[in-house]
Amino acid sequence: MLTAAQLSTAVNEALADPPPRIVLDLGGVTFCDSQGLGTLVVLSRKASHAQSLLVLTNVGDFLLRVLDITGLRSALMIRNGAAAD
């Protein structure tokens, strides 16, 4: 289980030498609270400022509903189905 702090550390390390894209596979995520949502938004903004793109893949129905309810779905790059290349 990856916590918001661990995720933040991993993405921040990747942004030290920013790649064009960082892909987060959320296929195993079954729970996401407000801290997790906030972390995804902050990391997406940090990536954008570093001229990188944070892409969420394999986002499950539960998390998609949460993102819809909170209005955050449009603020994040989500690529389900086809590869995020």
Side-chain angles (χ1 to χ4, degrees), residues 3-36:
T3 67
Q6 291 169 314
L7 176 62
S8 186
T9 298
V11 172
N12 284 327
E13 287 174 1
L15 289 173
D17 184 17
R21 172 184 337 222
I22 298 172
V23 179
L24 299 180
D25 184 341
L26 301 180
V29 175
T30 58
F31 176 79
C32 186
D33 61 10
S34 61
Q35 183 178 9

Side-chain angles (χ1 to χ4, degrees), residues 27-54:
V29 175
T30 58
F31 176 79
C32 186
D33 61 10
S34 61
Q35 183 178 9
L37 294 173
T39 298
L40 291 174
V41 171
V42 167
L43 294 175
S44 179
R45 288 183 182 159
K46 283 184 176 182
S48 179
H49 288 296
Q51 297 182 343
S52 186
L53 182 63
L54 185 74

Side-chain angles (χ1 to χ4, degrees), residues 58-82:
N58 296 316
V59 180
D61 291 338
F62 160 77
L63 187 51
L64 285 174
R65 282 191 301 270
V66 171
L67 293 172
D68 282 336
I69 290 167
T70 59
L72 293 174
R73 188 172 185 167
S74 63
L76 299 168
M77 177 67 63
I78 300 171
R79 294 286 182 249
N80 280 341

